[in-house]
Amino acid sequence: MVQMLAPDGTYTADPAYCCYAMNDAQLRTAYRHMVQARAADEWAFSLNRQGRLGTYPPATGQEANSVGAVMALREDDWIVPTYRELGGLLTRGVPLKQFFLYWLGNEHGSAFERELYHVTPIVLPIGSQLPHAVGLAFAERYQGSDRIAIGFVGDGGTSEGDFHEALNFAGLWQAGTIFFVQNNQYAISVHRDQQAAGATIAQKAAAYGFEGVQVDGNDVTAVYAVTAAAAARARAGGGPTLIEGVTYRIGPHTTSDDPKRYRSDEEVAEWQSRDPIVRLQKLLRARGLMDDAELAAVITAARERARREFDAVEPFERPSVEDTFRYVYAEMPPLMLRQLAERRRRLERTGT
Ligand SMILES: Cc1ncc(C[n+]2csc(CCOP(=O)(O)OP(=O)(O)O)c2C)c(N)n1
């Protein structure tokens, strides 16, 4: 497993990735994005408990994967996210209020301005986004561009047919795709060890004829380096890479989940001791890049921004019951019409 920044904050350069070491400015930037993602995540959780935001999937603990990977790309490379890529979206410059709008149930929140951000909409069907990432990468090269695509997926998503179809096509056609698996150890309550027999997820790449790399997903410097190397290879026509970023979902699967039913407090505490933000703070301090006051000021500013940006979209229009049904078919089939009528009746009866 590639690691440069250990949990105790010591940094050991990896000669295999020497030309992809983050510089001082990048380390500071990574910290800002990771802290912003954490602050927004914590605020979203709290908003849910206050009854101001619907079901939300927290990404606390996974910030180094998302931020490090996106920082390693060019600004016009495609990002094909899941629902747990807040850090990556913020790194690309997507306004936080747009993200909040999406989780308020307003689909406009996920319609990221294409030419500005090159980010596809947030998807909830597991694995379905990976063929899109391959298609984008393939199309770019077909049109003579050297843009590449990164497709994120969870460890559970690697059991989906779409995952295998996407990797097979990309390997065969050398599509410039980075498959980034956020291995956060759980697919809801199913542990990674119950998901697949292989020793690593990264090794699956061998079956499709390209390289797979396992990286410490709580070490932003290592995630950045392996993704930058994969991006350089893809851009040069060297084909795809599968990256397995080993991390942990510190919070519940979503705000509707109770993780105490399937994992121990000791396990969570063990992973909390490897927190990616705390680890980066140690490096920033040791290198004299930020002192305690500056580190804390970034956190305070991030919390304030999270509140401000949510307040800006909270009054926006909520989706109607019809919206849930409206966009699937041009004309609703009888089964959906019946479901819609049932839903309306329930709303009238119970108010929810
Ligand atoms: C095709 C499909 N099957 C099942 C689900 C229900 N579901 C939602 S999240 C999830 C687990 C996903 O786990 P993983 O891929 O590890 O990602 P994580 O949520 O841990 O980020 C499942 C099974 C779904 N959304 N889509």
Side-chain angles (χ1 to χ4, degrees):
M1 185 159 73
V2 181
Q3 183 196 72
M4 298 174 205
L5 182 58
D8 67 3
T10 52
Y11 182 84
T12 315
D14 183 331
Y17 294 99
C18 57
C19 41
Y20 300 114
M22 293 178 101
N23 62 31
D24 292 351
Q26 286 172 316
L27 289 171
R28 281 201 203 91
T29 302
Y31 179 67
R32 288 207 176 84
H33 290 317
M34 288 164 66
V35 166
Q36 186 61 68
R38 176 77 57 97
D41 205 61
E42 288 175 349
W43 186 230
F45 192 89
S46 163
L47 289 164
N48 170 272
R49 293 301 186 251
Q50 296 169 43
R52 295 164 70 190
L53 190 75
T55 304
Y56 175 76
T60 287
Q62 300 185 215
E63 297 88 352
N65 263 345
S66 206
V67 170
V70 172
M71 279 187 73
L73 303 179
R74 219 166 61 188
E75 285 205 343
D76 61 345
D77 287 333
W78 289 100
I79 299 174
V80 182
T82 70
Y83 44 84
R84 240 184 268 280
E85 302 317 330
L86 170 58
L89 299 184
L90 292 172
T91 302
R92 182 51 69 84
V94 167
L96 184 51
K97 47 169 118 36
Q98 211 177 327
F99 181 80
F100 280 138
L101 187 61
Y102 175 73
W103 291 107
L104 277 167
N106 189 320
E107 287 291 332
H108 293 293
S110 194
F112 306 117
E113 210 178 315
R114 200 171 56 173
E115 289 310 316
L116 204 53
Y117 303 118
H118 296 97
V119 179
T120 56
I122 292 170
V123 289
L124 299 182
I126 303 301
S128 61
Q129 70 281 11
L130 294 183
H132 305 163
V134 180
L136 284 165
F138 184 79
E140 289 292 354
R141 208 188 41 195
Y142 189 72
Q143 291 174 341
S145 136
D146 67 348
R147 268 190 206 154
I148 60 168
I150 189 164
F152 288 93
V153 68
D155 42 295
T158 64
S159 296
E160 288 287 346
D162 277 342
F163 173 84
H164 299 278
E165 291 165 31
L167 268 71
N168 187 54
F169 189 96
L172 190 61
W173 290 90
Q174 294 284 286
T177 321
I178 299 171
F179 299 99
F180 197 105
V181 179
Q182 281 244 30
N183 176 4
N184 66 7
Q185 310 302 323
Y186 287 94
I188 312 184
S189 57
V190 177
H191 189 263
R192 148 74 184 96
D193 293 346
Q194 298 168 288
Q195 189 69 244
T200 73
I201 291 172
Q203 73 189 35
K204 291 178 192 288
Y208 301 105
F210 55 88
E211 200 180 319
V213 192
Q214 195 183 49
V215 60
D216 182 340
N218 285 5
D219 169 3
V220 71
T221 65
V223 171
Y224 172 86
V226 300
T227 313
R233 186 166 46 239
R235 211 178 300 288
T241 304
L242 173 63
I243 299 173
E244 175 188 357
V246 179
T247 183
Y248 195 79
R249 163 170 55 74
I250 296 293
H253 172 71
T254 67
T255 42
S256 311
D257 172 43
D258 175 10
K260 284 187 187 298
R261 296 180 65 174
Y262 55 82
R263 64 185 197 186
S264 68
D265 292 345
E266 292 74 34
E267 182 183 295
V268 179
E270 168 60 29
W271 279 93
Q272 272 170 327
S273 72
R274 300 176 212 167
D275 188 304
I277 293 181
V278 174
R279 205 184 292 196
L280 184 55
Q281 285 175 334
K282 288 176 185 163
L283 184 68
L284 290 166
R285 257 191 231 108
R287 293 214 179 150
L289 297 175
M290 282 195 194
D291 60 22
D292 285 348
E294 287 170 288
L295 292 169
V298 172
I299 296 172
T300 306
R303 288 183 178 151
E304 283 168 9
R305 180 178 161 204
R307 281 166 173 70
R308 216 172 38 241
E309 299 222 10
F310 184 78
D311 289 349
V313 288
E314 194 172 22
F316 272 52
E317 199 185 333
R318 298 293 189 278
S320 66
V321 164
E322 286 76 13
D323 279 348
T324 317
F325 296 82
R326 189 174 282 156
Y327 303 109
V328 183
Y329 298 97
E331 274 177 45
M332 273 189 235
L335 176 65
M336 278 183 85
L337 286 169
R338 276 204 303 280
Q339 287 176 340
L340 175 58
E342 213 173 284
R343 186 70 191 85
R344 280 200 186 112
R345 275 199 301 279
R346 187 191 140 98
L347 190 65
E348 275 163 26
R349 221 177 41 243
T350 67
T352 59

